[in-house]
Amino acid sequence: MLSDLLESNRFWAESLSARDPDYFPSLARQQSPNYFWIGCSDSRVPANEVVGLMPGELFVHRNVANMVVATDMNLLSALQYAVDMLKVEHIIVCGHYGCGGVRAALSHQEFGLIDNWLRSLKGIHYQYLDKFDNLNIDEQTDLLCELNVKRQVTNVCHTTIVQNAWHRGQKLSVHGWIYGLKDGLIHDLQVSVNDFSQLKDAFVYEV
């Protein structure tokens, strides 16, 4: 029932206010997160909770399969706000094992509009096709989840938003993580990018 959600909200707000009466008034005055999280819309991966951060400490964008698409104005607007206005120092692309969107991209079934959104995942699968030999569908899904995170990290770094920040000398790093639904643990995929030197020349913009 929706009334249960409203009651839970009141309990949550009263609990925080009891611990710190200035918590919400302070939060209302400004937000100053140090992290921008690009994650999947999956309801099992609540961004703030899995990293133990409170409201105001993590700026979040979520979409199906944690994609960074060059024509997605929603993502790009959030990214620009995070980088240019909030001055976050860390951008985290976080996927998760067992992602339904990734699994859909591995199939030949038509699902509707989402097929167009996930088309680039099919391209990643085809590019690394030899790595999928002798894997069952669950293993294939998890491998593509990892490859997808790595690709989205590079996509973030290829935006003029991130590169302009580096040109300005702004401290900014992009990281690739993946979350395990079965154990609640996050794994660093060791693909962090801190500056232009880690990018291929073809994707670097000059000022």
Side-chain angles (χ1 to χ4, degrees):
M1 297 294 290
L2 292 179
S3 59
D4 294 336
L5 301 183
L6 293 173
E7 182 61 31
S8 294
N9 167 254
R10 281 190 287 271
F11 176 78
W12 172 77
E14 289 170 0
S15 298
L16 285 178
S17 295
R19 281 184 281 173
D20 180 5
D22 192 49
Y23 178 77
F24 285 110
S26 176
L27 195 63
R29 288 191 290 271
Q30 66 172 354
Q31 62 168 332
S32 55
N34 199 33
Y35 313 97
F36 177 41
W37 175 282
I38 300 173
C40 182
S41 298
D42 195 297
S43 62
R44 298 167 294 178
V45 193
N48 282 71
E49 291 184 34
V50 300
V51 289
L53 292 178
M54 296 291 287
E57 297 180 323
L58 188 71
F59 194 61
V60 176
H61 173 87
R62 297 171 69 178
N63 62 55
V64 176
N66 43 272
M67 303 288 285
V68 178
V69 179
T71 55
D72 182 2
M73 294 298 107
N74 190 341
L75 176 279
L76 293 177
S77 296
L79 176 63
Q80 182 167 37
Y81 188 78
V83 172
D84 294 352
M85 303 301 293
L86 297 176
K87 306 294 185 185
V88 299
E89 294 186 4
H90 301 278
I91 299 170
I92 301 163
V93 179
C94 188
H96 66 94
Y97 291 120
C99 179
V102 172
R103 185 181 290 263
L106 283 168
S107 80
H108 296 283
Q109 182 179 348
E110 180 184 342
F111 293 97
L113 183 62
I114 191 67
D115 298 320
N116 300 282
W117 178 254
L118 300 174
R119 185 176 299 162
S120 64
L121 280 171
K122 289 184 176 291
I124 298 173
H125 175 229
Y126 184 76
Q127 182 180 356
Y128 295 97
L129 202 55
D130 59 315
K131 293 181 179 293
F132 291 82
D133 289 343
N134 303 315
L135 299 180
N136 63 41
I137 186 59
D138 291 333
E139 293 168 334
Q140 290 185 42
T141 300
D142 288 349
L143 174 57
L144 189 53
C145 286
E146 292 182 351
L147 293 173
N148 180 46
V149 168
K150 294 176 181 179
R151 177 62 55 83
Q152 305 317 318
V153 166
T154 60
N155 286 350
V156 171
C157 296
H158 292 166
T159 66
T160 54
I161 297 166
V162 168
Q163 293 195 23
N164 284 338
W166 284 336
H167 279 304
R168 293 192 299 267
Q170 189 170 330
K171 184 180 179 182
L172 182 63
S173 299
V174 185
H175 314 277
W177 292 357
I178 193 157
Y179 175 78
L181 294 173
K182 294 179 180 178
D183 58 13
L185 297 178
I186 292 174
H187 307 274
D188 187 346
L189 294 178
Q190 304 295 323
V191 290
S192 295
V193 181
N194 305 302
D195 55 42
F196 296 108
S197 67
Q198 296 168 267
L199 303 182
K200 294 183 179 180
D201 289 343
F203 297 98
V204 174
Y205 295 95
E206 296 181 355
V207 292

